[in-house]
Amino acid sequence: MTNTVEFAKMNGLGNKILVVDMRGRTDKVTPEAAIALNTDAETQFDQIMAIHDPKAQGTDAYIDILNSDGSKAQACGNGTRCVVQALAAETGKKAFTFQTVAGILNAVEHEDGTISVDMGRPVFEWNRIPLAEEFHDTSRIELQIGPIDNPVLHSPSAMSMGNPHAIFWVDRDPMSFDLERFGPLLENHPMFPEKANISLAQVISDSALRTRTWERGAGLTLACGSAACASAVSAARTGRTGRKVTIDVASSPIRQPLVIDWRANNHVVMTGPAEWEWSGTVDPTTGSWSRDAAPGAEAR
């Protein structure tokens, strides 16, 4: 078994993704390799999407997902779109079925280059999100940041999209909040025994939201697909919007909205772009890497 594998630096609406090809191998990308890659400015990422040989019949691949701190992630919608684009370019296929820790994901690349991912069914039960306290109605839970009589953030909607989310509803631009300060406190709040993705969501209309996310295990991120899905579902669930919305991800440098459709069959389908940046090889054990055909690039 060789020490290096191919990988691609990609992004999904600015969400920084490394797609690592682990097919034909029995080992995995180690947490140490992930941490090493994230410390380098050129390979800094939000999630690693490691493509493994399929484990289940009828699937195209098993996807192992790592956060930038080396921890495991259950879901990453933006990263899944990057995997689809990479495999579509390699194989010519347009439709894929992936297995992840969170379950089976179906995805398709459209003629315009956008990619739809069926993110599965949302989970609302407090013990399955999970929360540390029982709530009969998780569309609004008791949690706040700031003075008790004038909190900065309060009463989030909680749910799971394969990973836990808390959506705080705000009445002004999410970029105007100090999420870099509040994010770590809320991600690690005792209410969330498995931590949580923390999003701020502003309702623009009955079919549009503007969001910003602090991502569990990754920190302040330019975009988070599962958080966009959680925001859209929570908006519909609380009567703020309809079941199909566009999401303006406020922190993303790419001014293209995500489209989230919470369908009648209870599945959440996310549609948006993916972008290839460059490729190289990486040691999945140590994280040392080199870039393909880039003048002056050196092994790290």
Side-chain angles (χ1 to χ4, degrees), residues 153-164:
L153 300 171
H154 66 90
S155 309
S157 301
M159 59 168 289
S160 172
M161 280 303 309
N163 49 1

Side-chain angles (χ1 to χ4, degrees), residues 13 15 27-28 36 39 66 68 73 87 105 109 151 158 161 170 177 183 197 202 205 221 223 266 277 294:
L13 213 70
N15 201 179
D27 58 337
K28 294 185 176 182
T39 58
L66 287 85
S68 56
L87 291 181
L105 298 179
E109 184 180 58
M161 280 303 309
V170 296
F177 289 81
N197 295 276
Q202 178 190 20
S205 73
T221 182
N266 203 29
E277 297 178 16

Side-chain angles (χ1 to χ4, degrees), residues 63 93 103 106 116 129 140 154 164 175 181 215 222 249 285:
I63 309 297
K93 289 182 61 174
N106 293 299
S116 293
I129 294 173
R140 178 187 171 98
H154 66 90
M175 295 300 289
R181 175 185 169 198
E215 195 165 8
L222 295 178
V249 182
T285 301

Side-chain angles (χ1 to χ4, degrees), residues 254-277:
I254 300 171
R255 296 288 83 210
Q256 180 174 348
L258 289 172
V259 178
I260 312 297
D261 187 4
W262 185 18
R263 296 183 174 174
N265 64 1
N266 203 29
H267 282 241
V268 182
V269 176
M270 174 181 60
T271 302
E275 182 182 16
W276 181 92
E277 297 178 16

Side-chain angles (χ1 to χ4, degrees), residues 86-163:
L87 291 181
E90 174 194 305
T91 67
K93 289 182 61 174
K94 294 295 184 182
F96 297 88
T97 300
F98 302 124
Q99 183 185 9
T100 71
V101 171
I104 300 295
L105 298 179
N106 293 299
V108 60
E109 184 180 58
H110 304 291
E111 290 301 319
D112 65 358
T114 61
I115 297 160
S116 293
V117 179
D118 184 338
M119 299 288 289
R121 297 179 175 91
V123 171
F124 304 127
E125 293 87 352
W126 71 273
N127 57 330
R128 293 179 60 203
I129 294 173
L131 302 177
E133 297 179 22
E134 181 175 357
F135 285 90
H136 174 70
D137 181 6
T138 55
S139 66
R140 178 187 171 98
I141 68 170
E142 296 176 16
L143 181 63
Q144 67 179 41
I145 288 287
I148 192 168
D149 57 344
N150 188 29
V152 178
L153 300 171
H154 66 90
S155 309
S157 301
M159 59 168 289
S160 172
M161 280 303 309
N163 49 1

